[in-house]
Amino acid sequence: MAADAELNLSFIEKKLGTVGRISYYAGLVGLYSLIPLIKNDLGWLHRFGFDEEQIHAIETFGDFSSSLHGIIGLVLGLLLVFRTNSSYSRWWEARKLWGKLVNISRNMAIKFRELTNFTKQELRELADLLVAFPEALRDHLREDDDFSMFPELEQIDPPPRHIPAYIADLIYRRVISWKRTGMIDGDELRIIDSETRELMEICGACERIRRTRLSPSYRTFVRHCITLYLATLPWGLVEDFNYWTVPLTVIMAYFMIGIEVIAHSVEEPFGLDEDDLDLDGLCITIRSTVNEILDRFGKQEQA
């Protein structure tokens, strides 16, 4: 979602997927590499009145040493390593946060079940709150807040702008009310609070990842370096590799462009691209396990 919007991709490019886009761009660079290859064999210009000296001048124009690109490639490789590591660290941190949310949801469900004397219906209401938080957080990170989970939000004037915080507040209100009514004591409150307070900490950490991306100037600089390198690469290869210039350029373009495209894709891990986290699957996991814990072992409602 966010990645596609920023890249401003065309409809065809979106349909290609990440690997398809990389191949598409590499193919365009391969077509461009035909220019120095054609320039290197201009004997047919004799038909248009060009002499040998003029043809030789055209054929040698723009030729570079391939060793020069080896040096430039080394520098560019260091930039791409940093770019890739920075993007992947964001993706992996997001995955750990959501893995932590899965464990916290399960632990809260077990503690609510064991430390209270609720009926199955009351545990069902708690389960709805626990599974609503990750789903609200998922939609919040995708900037697609869904009020259908809590229709009463629409009656609040103004409605809450941060639905995950509202749900966490509802959970906290219930926990505090249990303490005030004597349903749980202070020690049990601390046991429950150890997980409950983590909800907003996870939310805040995900928001930091979502809203603090790599410096735009650095991203632009890396892309300019890749463009310059690939624009001059076939001119440096053509003298040494002749017709092999095209496949070699395509291979180099595939890896160079691929690193940047993938790094950009995983940099924002909460969207709907194929490289993003499967937040829908994680929410389903939380829903199924929480429901199983609270439904299977909840005390039967008394007649």
Side-chain angles (χ1 to χ4, degrees):
M1 173 180 290
D4 277 1
E6 182 172 336
L7 279 172
N8 224 2
L9 299 175
S10 67
F11 175 78
I12 296 178
E13 289 172 321
K14 289 180 181 179
K15 289 297 183 181
L16 290 176
T18 302
V19 176
R21 290 202 303 269
I22 297 170
S23 302
Y24 173 74
Y25 297 142
L28 293 179
V29 176
L31 292 176
Y32 164 77
S33 67
L34 291 173
I35 297 176
L37 187 63
I38 295 173
K39 179 193 70 69
N40 227 32
D41 186 14
L42 298 177
W44 49 272
L45 288 179
H46 287 296
R47 304 174 184 176
F48 298 94
F50 288 84
D51 57 33
E52 288 293 338
E53 184 176 347
Q54 291 174 319
I55 294 176
H56 179 71
I58 296 174
E59 288 179 341
T60 57
F61 176 78
D63 289 344
F64 300 95
S65 172
S66 57
S67 60
L68 175 63
H69 284 85
I71 299 174
I72 298 175
L74 177 63
V75 176
L76 181 57
L78 295 176
L79 292 174
L80 291 176
V81 167
F82 174 78
R83 174 80 167 101
T84 304
N85 288 343
S86 299
S87 298
Y88 184 75
S89 64
R90 291 166 54 87
W91 187 93
W92 184 242
E93 182 183 1
R95 180 61 185 90
K96 290 194 296 183
L97 288 170
W98 272 82
K100 186 177 182 181
L101 182 58
V102 172
N103 294 332
I104 286 174
S105 301
R106 292 168 174 169
N107 289 333
M108 290 178 67
I110 293 173
K111 291 179 180 181
F112 287 168
R113 185 195 71 201
E114 298 297 332
L115 299 180
T116 61
N117 192 30
F118 290 142
T119 63
K120 179 165 288 190
Q121 177 59 34
E122 290 171 324
L123 288 176
R124 162 85 345 247
E125 295 175 359
L126 287 172
D128 290 340
L129 285 175
L130 289 180
V131 301
F133 181 84
E135 293 174 358
L137 179 59
R138 174 200 62 196
D139 295 338
H140 175 70
L141 294 173
R142 293 175 177 174
E143 299 181 354
D144 185 27
D145 291 332
D146 184 8
F147 286 88
S148 63
M149 292 186 298
F150 285 90
E152 65 271 16
L153 296 183
E154 299 179 352
Q155 308 301 322
I156 302 176
D157 187 23
R161 300 176 59 184
H162 199 292
I163 297 181
Y166 175 82
I167 297 174
D169 180 56
L170 290 180
I171 296 174
Y172 252 113
R173 287 184 185 182
R174 296 206 175 197
V175 173
I176 296 301
S177 69
W178 301 341
K179 174 63 172 63
R180 290 174 178 171
T181 58
M183 185 173 295
I184 60 175
D185 58 27
D187 291 335
E188 292 171 334
L189 175 62
R190 283 190 290 272
I191 292 173
I192 294 176
D193 181 67
S194 63
E195 266 85 24
T196 307
R197 61 185 174 83
E198 291 281 356
L199 295 178
M200 290 311 300
E201 292 185 7
I202 291 175
C203 177
C206 289
E207 288 176 336
R208 171 177 50 80
I209 296 173
R210 175 69 179 83
R211 297 173 181 173
T212 309
R213 308 191 68 173
L214 192 65
S215 167
S217 298
Y218 185 86
R219 291 203 308 268
T220 302
F221 177 73
V222 171
R223 292 172 185 176
H224 286 172
C225 289
I226 293 175
T227 301
L228 178 62
Y229 179 82
L230 294 179
T232 57
L233 178 63
W235 301 86
L237 296 179
V238 68
E239 285 296 325
D240 296 329
F241 297 98
N242 203 8
Y243 291 104
W244 282 98
T245 299
V246 175
L248 289 175
T249 300
V250 170
I251 293 172
M252 290 296 297
Y254 183 84
F255 287 109
M256 289 287 184
I257 297 174
I259 291 174
E260 169 58 22
V261 170
I262 294 174
H264 184 88
S265 180
V266 303
E267 186 180 13
E268 203 292 278
F270 303 119
L272 297 169
D273 290 342
E274 58 184 332
D275 294 317
D276 293 331
L277 294 177
D278 183 17
L279 299 188
D280 294 325
L282 291 170
C283 288
I284 292 174
T285 298
I286 293 174
R287 176 178 288 276
S288 63
T289 53
V290 167
N291 286 338
E292 179 181 5
I293 291 171
L294 294 181
D295 286 345
R296 177 177 295 181
F297 302 104
K299 295 178 176 59
Q300 296 295 331
E301 191 168 3
Q302 297 176 354

